[in-house]
Amino acid sequence: MFYGICTWIITILVVHLTDYNEAGYLALAISMTNTYEQIAWFNMRNYQVTDATGKFSDSQYVSSRVISCTVAFALLVIAALTGNSLYQALCIIAYMPIRIAEAVSDVCHGINQKKERYDFIGKSFILRGIGMVGVFSVGLIVLKKLAIVLLLTAIYQLMVSLFFDCRKTFSLTEIKLKLFDKELLKLYRDCLPLVIFAFFMSNQNNYTKEMIQSLCGNDILGIYASIASPTIAVQMIAAAIFAPFLPGLSVLLAEKAYDKFNAKLLKIYAAFVGMAVVVMIGAVLLGRWGLALLYPDNILDHYEFFLPVVVVTILNAIVLVMQGIMVAIRKIWLMTIGMVADFIILALCIRPFIERFGANGGSYAQILAYAIYIPFAMISVCVTIRQWKRRLV
C-alpha cells in the first residue's frame, strides 16, 4: 500500500511541478508499460507462492523472470516507437525499467514469502517508494524534462532491486540461472491463460487513454488521467475487502460443499453492491472537494469526467475479484476468452463513443464492456457449480 501511494503521488507531483501536458505523457507511459509489465510478471506470483510441492525450483522462477522481462522490454520498445511521438515514446521507454525493477523484486518477494521473510519485502517497498518520490520530485524541479527524470527514477529502482532484493533473497537460497531449461516451457504453459487475461484487461485502460489522447489531445488526457488517479484507492480497498474470501472458497470447493460455496458467493455479490453504493455516495459528496484539494482550481472545469471514472474503477475492482473466483473453480481459459471478447467490445465502441461524448466516451465504452463481462463471469460460476452439484446426486 505504501508503494502504491508513492506511485500515485508522482501523478500528483507532475501536475504541480509541470502542467497537464506532461501529466498526459506520464499517464500514457504508466498505462502502456503496465500492459507490458503483465508479460514481464507472467502473472506468476500466486502460482509461485502456492507451489508447495516444489514443482519448479527457485532458480527456475528467477530464470523465467529474466527471460520474460527481456521479452517484455523488447516488445514495449517496438510498441512505443509505433504510433507515438518521439517524446512520448522516450517517456514510455524510460518508464519501462521501473516496471522491470518491480518484476525482478516480485520474483524475489515470492521466495521471501515462502521463506517467511516479510521484513525483506516491507523494506524493499519502503526503499523503492521513498526513492521514487524523492528522485522524481527533485529531478523534475531541477531538470524539467520528464523523460530524463523517469530514466533517473528507473535507475534508482533497478539499483534497489539488484542490490537489496536480489542480495537479500540470494542469501536465503542458492540461485543458478537456467535460461535454457526445458522445464521453463512447462512453467510458462501453466501460467499462460493468466497472463493473457491480465494483458487484455490492463490494455483496456491503456487503449482508452491512447484513444483519448488521439481524439481529444494530450492536455485533455492529462486532465482525465489526473482526475482518474485518486480513484485507484477503490481498487486497493476492494482488494483488502475481498481477498480474505477467496482462500475460503477454494477450501469449500475442495470439500465439495457447494451449498456453502453459493452462500459465501452471495455474500460477496452483496458486498459488491454495498461497496458500489458507499463509493458512489462518497464520490458525490466529496469528489469536488477532493479534486480541488489535490489539483489546481481549473481541474473542476472538467469535473464531469469524475463520476464515470469512479464507475469504471468500481467495475474494474469487481472484475478482478471475479477473476479470483473463476480461478478457484478452474475456469481459467473461459475467463480469459471472456476478457478477450470484452476488449474487442471496447475496441469497437470507443471511437464513436469518444467522438460523441468526448473523453467521457472512453469511460462509457469501458463501462459497457465490463457490464457485459461481469454477468458473463457470474453466470459461468453459477452454471459450473450447478453442474458439479448434479454429479454428486
Side-chain angles (χ1 to χ4, degrees):
M1 289 183 68
F2 179 83
Y3 184 72
I5 291 169
C6 290
T7 304
W8 170 66
I9 286 174
I10 71 170
T11 67
I12 306 297
L13 289 173
V14 72
V15 175
H16 287 278
L17 298 178
T18 55
D19 52 34
Y20 286 119
N21 190 53
E22 293 293 281
Y25 287 127
L26 177 62
L28 194 56
I30 291 174
S31 182
M32 189 167 183
T33 54
N34 183 57
T35 297
Y36 287 87
E37 184 181 38
Q38 307 306 320
I39 298 174
W41 287 48
F42 225 79
N43 217 10
M44 198 176 287
R45 174 66 174 274
N46 287 337
Y47 189 97
Q48 178 188 6
V49 298
T50 55
D51 184 8
T53 61
K55 181 178 181 181
F56 300 101
S57 67
D58 291 335
S59 293
Q60 287 168 331
Y61 283 111
V62 172
S63 299
S64 72
R65 192 58 53 92
V66 172
I67 295 171
S68 60
C69 284
T70 303
V71 172
F73 186 78
L75 292 175
L76 181 279
V77 170
I78 295 170
L81 295 174
T82 304
N84 292 292
S85 67
L86 179 59
Y87 186 70
Q88 178 70 79
L90 290 175
C91 290
I92 293 169
I93 294 170
Y95 199 90
M96 189 60 188
I98 296 176
R99 301 298 196 181
I100 298 298
E102 291 173 349
V104 171
S105 294
D106 176 75
V107 74
C108 291
H109 293 171
I111 297 172
N112 298 156
Q113 187 173 349
K114 293 178 75 174
K115 303 288 186 181
E116 297 188 351
R117 293 307 304 262
Y118 294 95
D119 54 326
F120 290 170
I121 300 173
K123 290 174 183 177
S124 169
F125 278 122
I126 291 171
L127 282 172
R128 290 192 290 125
I130 292 173
M132 169 179 276
V133 174
V135 174
F136 185 85
S137 56
V138 173
L140 214 53
I141 291 170
V142 175
L143 300 174
K144 306 291 186 182
K145 293 292 184 181
L146 181 63
I148 298 175
V149 172
L150 289 177
L151 182 59
L152 293 175
T153 306
I155 291 171
Y156 173 84
Q157 294 276 43
L158 287 169
M159 288 177 63
V160 174
S161 294
L162 294 175
F163 296 111
F164 181 83
D165 287 311
C166 289
R167 184 174 63 84
K168 291 288 188 181
T169 301
F170 294 179
S171 69
L172 300 175
T173 182
E174 184 179 3
I175 300 294
K176 294 182 179 179
L177 289 182
K178 302 177 180 181
L179 302 181
F180 301 101
D181 188 342
K182 293 181 180 179
E183 290 297 306
L184 297 183
L185 294 176
K186 296 179 181 178
L187 177 57
Y188 285 129
R189 182 197 61 198
D190 288 354
C191 297
L192 179 60
L194 293 172
V195 77
I196 294 173
F197 175 92
F199 180 84
F200 277 96
M201 184 172 180
S202 65
N203 207 35
Q204 289 204 22
N205 189 42
N206 173 46
Y207 187 65
T208 298
K209 289 179 178 176
E210 284 183 343
M211 291 301 296
I212 291 173
Q213 183 186 51
S214 174
L215 298 175
C216 301
N218 199 58
D219 283 346
I220 293 296
L221 172 62
I223 295 169
Y224 178 89
S226 298
I227 288 175
S229 179
T231 66
I232 295 173
V234 175
Q235 289 178 228
M236 296 172 64
I237 294 169
I241 291 173
F242 294 111
F245 284 96
L246 298 178
L249 290 176
S250 298
V251 171
L252 293 175
L253 288 175
E255 296 174 349
K256 298 184 179 181
Y258 300 130
D259 289 334
K260 292 182 179 179
F261 179 92
N262 285 332
K264 181 166 283 193
L265 209 57
L266 288 175
K267 292 180 181 179
I268 293 176
Y269 293 161
F272 286 163
V273 176
M275 178 191 70
V277 171
V278 170
V279 170
M280 288 305 300
I281 291 174
V284 171
L285 295 179
L286 303 175
R288 286 184 178 274
W289 173 82
L291 291 174
L293 182 66
L294 293 172
Y295 301 109
D297 291 340
N298 63 338
I299 194 76
L300 295 180
D301 294 340
H302 299 275
Y303 177 74
E304 71 274 9
F305 295 165
F306 182 64
L307 292 180
V309 164
V310 172
V311 175
V312 170
T313 308
I314 292 171
L315 295 178
N316 188 74
I318 293 173
V319 170
L320 288 173
V321 177
M322 290 306 302
Q323 176 202 11
I325 297 171
M326 294 282 279
V327 170
I329 65 172
R330 293 298 185 262
K331 293 297 180 181
I332 299 175
W333 274 111
L334 182 63
M335 169 192 80
T336 302
I337 293 169
M339 183 50 63
V340 173
D342 187 74
F343 180 81
I344 293 172
I345 292 170
L346 173 77
L348 291 174
C349 295
I350 194 164
R351 178 178 286 273
F353 276 33
I354 292 177
E355 290 174 348
R356 174 66 178 83
F357 301 106
N360 267 343
S363 297
Y364 297 154
Q366 286 183 288
I367 291 170
L368 174 63
Y370 284 148
I372 294 173
Y373 181 85
I374 291 171
F376 159 79
M378 290 180 172
I379 292 170
S380 298
V381 173
C382 180
V383 170
T384 300
I385 299 302
R386 184 174 298 176
Q387 289 174 344
W388 289 352
K389 286 181 66 176
R390 287 176 179 173
R391 292 174 187 172
L392 290 178
V393 178

